[in-house]
Amino acid sequence: MSIKQSRATWTRGLVATGAAAAAVLSTTPAQAVEGATAKDSFQFTAKLDIGGERSCSAALVDEQWLITAASCFAENPAEDFKVPAGAPRLKTTATIGRTDLTRDNGAVLDVVELVPRADRDVVLARLAKPVAGVTPVAIAGNAPIQGEELRVSGYGRAKDEWIPDRLHYASFTVGSVKGASLGLNGKEADAVICQGDTGGPAFRDVGGRQELVGVNSRSWQGGCLGTDPAETRKGAVDTRVDDLGGWILQVRSLPKRFVTASGDFDGDGKADLAMLTDYGQTPDGRSRSALWVYTASGEGFGGPRSVWDSGTDSWRWEASKLTTGDFNGDGKTDLAVLYNYGTEGGRTRSGLFTFTNQGTRFDAPKKVWDSSTSSWKSWNWDASKLASGDFNGDGKTDLAVLYNYGKGADGRNGSALLTFSSNGNGVDEPRKVWDSSTSVLKSWNWDTSKLASGDFNGDGKTDLAVLYAYDNVDSRNRTALWFTANDKNGFNEPRKVWDSSTWKNGKDSWSWDASKLASGDFNGDGKTDLAVLYNYGADTGRNRTGLWVFDGSKDGFGEPRKVWDTATWMNGKESWNWASSEPIAGDFNGDGKADLTVTYDYGLNKAGRAQIGLWSFASKGDAFADPRRVWDNGLD
């Protein structure tokens, strides 16, 4: 197939592999590689229809996420591949799992959200709901090398067809690897990337398993139907994705249309649920968000009530990271949001807002810190993971941020821990309390870290825990749990308290990517525990999910233990979609033990309305009761 991008012919000063340096590549989407009809094993390749104006290809990297070229969605791809995050400008549909477009298998779904990568021609696209029956392609873990053979698949134009109805693929050789780009040359004379192939996958075969290395970006398109017959060059430039595994993992775990947090907002001794909800854009183009509270009744939750609405003031939900705590020390749980202003004057800008709890309502958000007026000057919101707790023991909740400095000149990953101490009226300037560059650890990969806070050792001070992903060992997923104790003046050096590579004599595997965290004192012993909602994927046609707990101890954590599994729930007849679940911990029934509530996204109903339910796992001390639905917004 000839691989071509679905951008209007856009030229940039990039040189095709094997071409003279003065030559220019066309960024018109290349067609599905001119070559053989693709195999069903390449079903992860998707076809995109963008507003009926453009056609691109993509790859399924998660049940609900595609990866493709950002330029497919750019208003003028000939000038720039940058696109804003959020809903695509033009209505976009994706066809997945249908290598023959004349058939009706697979799925056709709307693309509802774009998450672009700023430094290269790549975007992740969220589908309206998860795709069933199609295995996502794995992300390669090592870089391509010159001379390596890759396959490229797509639905683009061929040398003799404007709109082919079958997926095609061809073999290419890596001619060059430079930064985030790789040059490709066809192995066969007919191998070329044409219009419609932009964003399509370039992958290697490893013993029958496909690993995604790049996505199509630009091509000379020599030999593609509609190209100048005088153009004979067929080289292409792809965008690398093998080094984006951590970023893809993070985006895949982003909330969808809401984000939740728990706290006793009405002071009755039972934890309630707060939900920051995205209302989309107002008719005048402003972003609108609202804050809802579900009040715990002991047996479930009352219907949500609105306690704040941005109204005509613009508030971008996708720019908000939410946490809870008593930030002013008045005994009522408040809310805090780390907010992303983007880039201004060449600096990244973030702000910190608090929503003060007045019992029956929340005050409008008050800005208590802004990086633009801070000694920090620049603060990267995308590089920040947020947690809360009383870190200095003064009775007021503080904030902690695990911050990503990226790779240093020595090639090591740099991360730091910073705290914002609450002063009652706001927060003090952030201070660095730990830095991997001066630590005995030297390197810390922020991308593979999931952060949780709590008094895990029972000494009365809030600590931090990190679930950390390592490279696979002997084809097993390797994950570890790190613990850093709070000594009031900062945090002690993090230490590893559990590692799946030595768990059960090293025979077990733990997928960090399949883990969602929530912290709470589930057994009522005064020490915070860590719950993990775990994704086993599809099992006999049903989504299988499990619940594990790491019990807090004076030395860190005990071994993980499974406390629930859909494989045995209701005699194994029920299914639970992990990708649609957001767990949060709190003592929702007021019995002194933390429970688990899961906000469950059912997707859109036939009327196009979002369907959401709340499920409760009540703690029994050493286990959890089976989940029960305690509220929904009217499923049909």
Side-chain angles (χ1 to χ4, degrees), residues 29-65:
Q31 167 203 337
V33 191
E34 180 63 36
T37 300
K39 308 173 183 178
D40 283 345
S41 58
F42 301 163
Q43 284 186 338
F44 54 78
T45 310
K47 179 180 174 65
L48 298 178
D49 181 343
I50 304 171
E53 300 177 4
R54 302 176 180 176
S55 178
C56 274
S57 298
L60 189 73
V61 292
D62 177 81
E63 292 176 330
Q64 203 165 355
W65 289 92

Side-chain angles (χ1 to χ4, degrees), residues 387-409:
S388 60
D390 183 5
F391 300 118
N392 57 12
D394 67 352
K396 297 184 288 292
T397 302
D398 313 303
L399 294 167
V401 172
L402 187 65
Y403 195 86
N404 181 24
Y405 284 103
K407 285 188 182 292

Side-chain angles (χ1 to χ4, degrees), residues 28 70 137 140 194 279 303 316 345 472 572 597 614-615 618:
T28 306
V137 64
C194 303
Y279 280 169
R316 293 187 300 120
N472 293 352
T597 290
L614 298 181
W615 289 76

Side-chain angles (χ1 to χ4, degrees), residues 354-601:
T354 56
F355 295 73
T356 300
N357 183 2
Q358 298 297 347
T360 58
R361 62 177 177 81
F362 283 82
D363 287 343
K366 172 188 174 185
K367 189 189 292 182
V368 294
W369 177 79
D370 192 312
S371 64
S372 67
T373 57
S374 162
S375 60
W376 287 83
K377 299 303 180 190
S378 182
W379 188 283
N380 188 348
W381 181 89
D382 287 321
S384 306
K385 293 178 181 176
L386 187 64
S388 60
D390 183 5
F391 300 118
N392 57 12
D394 67 352
K396 297 184 288 292
T397 302
D398 313 303
L399 294 167
V401 172
L402 187 65
Y403 195 86
N404 181 24
Y405 284 103
K407 285 188 182 292
D410 58 0
R412 292 183 171 131
N413 294 297
S415 297
L417 184 63
L418 301 109
T419 57
F420 294 77
S421 295
S422 174
N423 57 33
N425 294 316
V427 294
D428 296 334
E429 276 284 289
R431 64 188 183 97
K432 191 183 297 182
V433 294
W434 176 81
D435 192 316
S436 65
S437 66
T438 57
S439 161
V440 296
L441 297 171
K442 299 303 181 188
S443 182
W444 187 281
N445 189 346
W446 180 92
D447 282 325
T448 59
S449 303
K450 293 180 180 177
L451 183 67
S453 61
D455 182 9
F456 300 113
N457 59 8
D459 67 354
K461 299 184 288 292
T462 305
D463 314 302
L464 293 169
V466 173
L467 194 68
Y468 194 88
Y470 291 94
D471 292 334
N472 293 352
V473 178
D474 298 329
S475 299
R476 294 186 178 98
N477 293 300
R478 183 186 172 199
T479 301
L481 185 61
W482 289 75
F483 169 73
T484 176
N486 178 3
D487 65 4
K488 286 192 177 181
N489 296 316
F491 286 87
N492 297 328
E493 277 283 304
R495 58 189 176 87
K496 191 188 298 181
V497 292
W498 176 80
D499 193 315
S500 65
S501 67
T502 57
W503 180 39
K504 296 184 180 178
N505 298 317
K507 296 179 180 179
D508 275 278
S509 179
W510 188 287
S511 172
W512 179 90
D513 183 30
S515 305
K516 293 180 180 178
L517 305 186
S519 58
D521 182 6
F522 302 116
N523 56 16
D525 67 352
K527 295 183 285 292
T528 305
D529 313 305
L530 198 65
V532 178
L533 194 67
Y534 194 86
N535 181 25
Y536 290 100
D539 183 15
T540 63
R542 294 186 176 93
N543 292 303
R544 183 184 169 200
T545 301
L547 183 61
W548 291 76
V549 170
F550 292 80
D551 292 317
S553 75
K554 63 183 180 64
D555 296 318
F557 291 92
E559 291 271 302
R561 56 191 179 88
K562 189 188 292 183
V563 294
W564 177 77
D565 193 317
T566 52
T568 56
W569 180 39
M570 303 287 284
N571 297 317
K573 296 178 180 178
E574 293 294 329
S575 180
W576 188 286
N577 188 347
W578 177 91
S580 297
S581 305
E582 185 180 328
I584 199 79
D587 182 7
F588 299 110
N589 57 13
D591 67 353
K593 297 184 293 292
D595 312 300
L596 200 69
T597 290
V598 173
T599 309
Y600 196 91
D601 181 10

Side-chain angles (χ1 to χ4, degrees), residues 1 12 113 244 303 355 398 452 569:
M1 59 180 173
R12 303 182 72 177
E113 181 184 10
L244 297 184
F355 295 73
D398 313 303
W569 180 39

Side-chain angles (χ1 to χ4, degrees), residues 259-315:
V259 61
T260 56
S262 65
D264 183 6
F265 302 122
D266 57 5
D268 67 351
K270 297 184 289 289
D272 310 303
L273 198 67
M275 182 181 291
L276 187 65
T277 306
D278 179 25
Y279 280 169
Q281 288 196 328
T282 60
D284 60 358
R286 298 174 188 266
S287 296
R288 183 184 173 199
S289 299
L291 186 63
W292 293 77
V293 167
Y294 298 77
T295 301
S297 65
E299 295 298 320
F301 292 91
R305 57 190 176 90
S306 178
V307 294
W308 173 80
D309 193 315
S310 65
T312 57
D313 292 328
S314 189
W315 185 282

